[in-house]
Amino acid sequence: MRMLKLAIQKNGRLSEQSLELLRTCGIRLSNGDRKLRAASTNFPLEVLFLRDDDIPQYVEQGVADIGILGKNEVLEKARKVEMLDQLGFAACRLSLAIPREESYAGPAYFNGKRVATSYPRILQRFFAEQQIEAEIEEIGGSVEIAPGIGLADGIFDIVSTGSTLLMNGLKEVETVLCSEAVLIATPGIASEPLALLEQLRFRIRAAQNAVIHKYILLNAPDTALEEICSLIPGMKSPTILPLAREGWSSIHSVVGEDVFWEVTGQLKRAGAEGILVVPIEKMIL
């Protein structure tokens, strides 16, 4: 049986998070030492460990069927690949930054300026959309030092916390792209690996749904059941079980992580007691 071939970054935070996603999906790899490739022992999957900027080319050419990497790299390389899913981790943004002492009134600031970046395609598209004429200096690394050594007037680079900009006397002034890890695939992938890909995507969705939901259990007087059920409707409807104490029931449901605290306060006011919130390992809708 042909294995599904997945390319991921060979080291770094994105690599670790990609491997953690596979573990969450119940996929075990035989290679604990992180060589160039590893096979799963319980799913027909082979993992190739590559440089992140090489992954789009390998996927386009079918050397790897699929890949996990940042959306920013997919857009910058502009390879013919299919972007399937956003994976919800490795979030960052690509932003323009200038020296802290400079005043900034909008993108027109960059007219006639030099901007250093490792992402010239994305920046060029942005400048074209904004009708800005600027000189782009493409450099491979340490972009943040460019203004300090006189190479550029500003930079365009990945920003996570902003601490690197601060240390180099820069300030973020314009967010051009919000990025996160994405799953990409070879266009026109063959039927056999395509079937395996859909199995993998099914597992990924179950893992993602679990992350953004909590299982909630509580006790409530029967007189409050209608109000409480309206607050935590769950996937279809809550489960209600009678308690030994007459006039009381136990309610089990699922609540979204983003509204959890707001809903919990409303449940308390409605009369709920003994509220338990439990992580969900997998959630299949």
Side-chain angles (χ1 to χ4, degrees), residues 14-30:
L14 181 56
S15 176
E16 296 302 327
Q17 291 176 313
S18 299
L19 291 172
E20 179 58 32
L21 175 63
L22 294 179
R23 285 191 287 268
T24 303
C25 291
I27 295 173
R28 297 191 297 271
L29 298 179
S30 60

Side-chain angles (χ1 to χ4, degrees), residues 95-120:
S95 296
L96 286 156
I98 62 175
R100 199 180 311 150
E101 65 275 9
E102 290 282 321
S103 298
Y104 183 78
Y109 168 91
F110 291 99
N111 270 311
K113 299 288 199 302
R114 286 184 300 164
V115 183
T117 184
S118 300
Y119 298 92

Side-chain angles (χ1 to χ4, degrees), residues 14-88:
L14 181 56
S15 176
E16 296 302 327
Q17 291 176 313
S18 299
L19 291 172
E20 179 58 32
L21 175 63
L22 294 179
R23 285 191 287 268
T24 303
C25 291
I27 295 173
R28 297 191 297 271
L29 298 179
S30 60
N31 181 2
D33 295 327
R34 188 82 59 82
K35 298 178 183 176
L36 294 178
R37 59 205 300 177
S40 171
T41 58
N42 62 344
F43 187 83
L45 177 75
E46 182 180 35
V47 177
L48 308 178
F49 296 97
L50 306 171
R51 285 167 45 96
D52 59 345
D53 53 358
D54 289 336
I55 292 175
Q57 178 182 350
Y58 276 71
V59 173
E60 179 189 50
Q61 295 175 346
V63 176
D65 301 305
I66 57 174
I68 295 176
L69 74 165
K71 180 180 179 181
N72 55 301
E73 288 291 344
V74 179
L75 296 178
E76 178 60 31
K77 296 305 177 185
R79 292 284 184 169
K80 294 179 181 178
V81 298
E82 185 178 357
M83 199 180 312
L84 300 177
D85 302 305
Q86 298 188 122
L87 299 177

Side-chain angles (χ1 to χ4, degrees), residues 7-279:
I8 68 172
Q9 188 173 317
K10 62 182 178 180
N11 50 45
R13 184 168 62 102
L14 181 56
S15 176
E16 296 302 327
Q17 291 176 313
S18 299
L19 291 172
E20 179 58 32
L21 175 63
L22 294 179
R23 285 191 287 268
T24 303
C25 291
I27 295 173
R28 297 191 297 271
L29 298 179
S30 60
N31 181 2
D33 295 327
R34 188 82 59 82
K35 298 178 183 176
L36 294 178
R37 59 205 300 177
S40 171
T41 58
N42 62 344
F43 187 83
L45 177 75
E46 182 180 35
V47 177
L48 308 178
F49 296 97
L50 306 171
R51 285 167 45 96
D52 59 345
D53 53 358
D54 289 336
I55 292 175
Q57 178 182 350
Y58 276 71
V59 173
E60 179 189 50
Q61 295 175 346
V63 176
D65 301 305
I66 57 174
I68 295 176
L69 74 165
K71 180 180 179 181
N72 55 301
E73 288 291 344
V74 179
L75 296 178
E76 178 60 31
K77 296 305 177 185
R79 292 284 184 169
K80 294 179 181 178
V81 298
E82 185 178 357
M83 199 180 312
L84 300 177
D85 302 305
Q86 298 188 122
L87 299 177
F89 59 84
C92 64
R93 57 193 181 275
L94 265 66
S95 296
L96 286 156
I98 62 175
R100 199 180 311 150
E101 65 275 9
E102 290 282 321
S103 298
Y104 183 78
Y109 168 91
F110 291 99
N111 270 311
K113 299 288 199 302
R114 286 184 300 164
V115 183
T117 184
S118 300
Y119 298 92
R121 282 193 181 93
I122 296 174
L123 182 56
Q124 184 59 58
R125 284 195 292 269
F126 175 75
F127 281 161
E129 290 168 0
Q130 298 292 322
Q131 298 182 325
I132 293 169
E133 293 188 7
E135 183 181 349
I136 297 175
E137 291 282 351
E138 182 178 357
I139 57 179
S142 301
V143 174
E144 64 277 354
I145 69 170
I149 62 175
L151 178 64
D153 303 299
I155 70 167
F156 176 62
D157 201 17
I158 289 177
V159 179
S160 294
T161 64
S163 59
T164 302
L165 295 180
L166 189 63
M167 287 189 295
N168 287 276
L170 302 172
K171 62 181 179 181
E172 184 180 1
V173 294
E174 197 78 38
T175 297
V176 174
L177 173 71
C178 291
S179 179
E180 64 179 273
V182 294
L183 181 68
I184 63 172
T186 303
I189 186 172
S191 59
E192 191 171 6
L194 178 60
L196 294 173
L197 171 58
E198 290 308 314
Q199 291 180 42
L200 178 61
R201 293 178 74 190
F202 176 82
R203 294 190 185 198
I204 290 173
R205 285 191 292 269
Q208 288 179 319
N209 288 331
V211 170
I212 61 174
H213 291 87
K214 298 293 184 184
Y215 190 74
I216 189 166
L217 306 86
L218 59 88
N219 298 329
D222 290 346
T223 54
L225 291 182
E226 184 175 351
E227 181 180 358
I228 288 174
C229 288
S230 70
L231 294 172
I232 49 172
M235 290 181 285
K236 290 196 179 295
S237 66
T239 299
I240 301 175
L241 303 172
L243 295 179
R245 179 180 174 184
E246 188 175 350
W248 281 74
S249 295
S250 174
I251 303 175
H252 299 207
S253 193
V254 172
V255 63
E257 175 75 25
D258 55 342
V259 298
F260 163 69
W261 288 111
E262 178 184 351
V263 169
T264 301
Q266 293 175 332
L267 292 171
K268 288 285 291 181
R269 290 190 291 273
E273 296 181 3
I275 300 173
L276 300 178
V277 181
V278 182

